[in-house]
Amino acid sequence: MGRGPLIDSEKLADGLYGLGWSTVKRLPEGVAVQLGRQLADVTWRRRGKGIERLEANLARVVPDASAQRLAALSRAGMRSYMRYWMESFRLPAWSPERIRAGFDPEDVHHLEEALRSDRGVVLALPHMGNYDLAGAWVTTKLGVPFTTVAQRLKPESLYDRFVAYREGLGMEVLPHTGGSAFGTLARRLRAGGLVCLVADRDLSSSGIPVKFFGEEAKMPAGPAMLALQTGAMLLPVTLWYDDTPIMRGRVHPEIEVPQTGTRAEKAAHMTQQLADAFASGIADHPEDWHMLQRLWLADLEPRGGTPGTEPV
């Protein structure tokens, strides 16, 4: 019998995340910031597949960028990504005052008015900035709990860590498996609740085709379908960092349900509007879009098979 692998990658990942939440949160903030920047620069210099994919994605966002500009953007992107992780590891130790001061969104009146309507609200975000911090701000500053979903991770203990982390920030977390999550989300919305979904990359076979920076991609049908089925308001949100310890963001105006068309046509129209809102925020702050995976359908074809079926 041959020898097994010397390192169990799943257990290693679980241990590293556990170390982050147990150790990084105890570091002084300045030390954690510097550590994150150093880790980002080391990762960027190694030029792994994630960096190459990030630059390929950024090339579509900034099509006229030179190679030097793309390299600078990807380096800034990795620093932004590591800032997200350093903040996330430290969030459980942040005081309510620190959370409230750590996020300053524009046009938050769209969200406040939507919550007062009692129709239910779906907030949809791309992989920008730190959506965990934005969620903690909603539960702490606005005092509003919400429901979200999380992708199943292996090992199970790692998934449990993420669920416990987000529940500790005031979120209800449902597993991103099967169709049961949709029904629970719909019930929360019909009761006037808040649902928050990261929605710029499809993880299922039911994604809706959209034009995104001029090329075809697929985005989840969930946000639009939930709004259609429950009457909830659908609001896009984009996030970004600047040179301060405070994260910035914008709550975009409601994406309204079209007056005509089939349910599928309405969902497609709304998802395209969602993609357009995401694109506007990403174009303004490309370095804060943490997309290190394949997204556009053209990038899913080279290994054969149907576009959109390759694991990412």
Side-chain angles (χ1 to χ4, degrees):
M1 180 180 294
R3 295 178 63 186
L6 295 178
I7 297 177
D8 185 320
S9 60
E10 292 181 359
K11 289 183 178 178
L12 177 61
D14 185 32
L16 289 174
Y17 282 112
L19 182 66
W21 272 304
S22 65
T23 302
V24 174
K25 72 179 182 181
R26 295 190 176 95
L27 296 175
E29 186 160 352
V31 174
V33 169
Q34 188 59 34
L35 175 62
R37 178 163 293 200
Q38 290 173 353
L39 289 173
D41 289 348
V42 168
T43 303
W44 179 80
R45 285 194 293 267
R46 288 180 176 173
R47 303 293 303 169
K49 290 183 178 180
I51 302 301
E52 292 177 356
R53 173 50 47 195
L54 177 61
E55 287 188 4
N57 290 339
L58 288 170
R60 285 183 166 94
V61 175
V62 192
D64 58 348
S66 65
Q68 293 79 8
R69 170 65 173 151
L70 284 176
L73 277 175
S74 68
R75 184 176 189 179
M78 283 309 299
R79 289 183 171 185
S80 174
Y81 186 47
M82 286 300 177
R83 175 173 171 175
Y84 158 75
W85 279 112
M86 291 297 107
E87 285 181 349
S88 294
F89 289 141
R90 289 175 51 76
L91 264 176
W94 281 17
S95 68
E97 293 75 21
R98 177 68 180 87
I99 291 173
R100 288 192 288 266
F103 181 40
D104 184 21
E106 301 172 3
D107 298 330
V108 73
H109 65 91
H110 292 304
L111 174 57
E112 293 170 332
E113 292 165 4
L115 291 171
R116 287 196 293 269
S117 74
D118 291 328
R119 287 173 50 191
V121 183
V122 180
L123 291 181
L125 306 89
H127 285 81
M128 289 187 79
N130 187 340
Y131 35 82
D132 288 327
L133 172 56
W137 184 90
V138 167
T139 61
T140 304
K141 174 78 171 182
L142 301 184
V144 178
F146 66 88
T147 304
T148 188
V149 297
Q151 184 182 3
R152 280 284 187 188
L153 301 171
K154 293 183 179 181
E156 190 74 15
S157 56
L158 179 56
Y159 171 76
D160 291 341
R161 286 186 192 276
F162 274 95
V163 170
Y165 157 64
R166 288 179 171 139
E167 287 180 342
L169 299 176
M171 311 176 194
E172 178 188 23
V173 183
L174 307 176
H176 189 282
T177 53
S180 60
F182 187 92
T184 303
L185 294 173
R187 287 193 294 273
R188 300 291 183 269
L189 292 168
R190 290 192 182 100
L194 175 64
V195 165
C196 298
L197 301 171
V198 180
D200 58 342
R201 178 169 167 259
D202 180 51
L203 295 174
S204 71
S205 60
S206 59
I208 294 178
V210 296
K211 283 291 185 180
F212 194 53
F213 291 99
E215 293 191 44
E216 191 169 88
K218 282 189 175 182
M219 293 190 178
M225 292 302 296
L226 283 166
L228 280 167
Q229 186 162 315
T230 68
M233 299 178 69
L234 175 56
L235 303 178
V237 177
T238 50
L239 308 171
W240 65 91
Y241 292 122
D242 55 22
D243 294 329
T244 74
I246 299 173
M247 184 176 71
R248 312 294 176 179
R250 180 188 176 201
V251 181
H252 296 250
E254 178 189 3
I255 293 176
E256 297 184 355
V257 176
Q259 295 298 310
T260 60
T262 65
R263 178 178 290 264
E265 289 169 343
K266 291 177 180 179
H269 178 79
M270 294 170 73
T271 304
Q272 181 61 63
Q273 286 190 292
L274 193 63
D276 292 343
F278 290 168
S280 70
I282 292 167
D284 288 341
H285 306 279
E287 67 278 8
D288 292 311
W289 186 43
H290 307 150
M291 185 54 67
L292 281 71
Q293 297 86 18
R294 299 169 191 262
L295 176 70
W296 283 273
L297 298 194
D299 293 336
L300 302 180
E301 296 176 347
R303 295 186 187 179
T306 304
T309 62
E310 181 190 32
V312 293

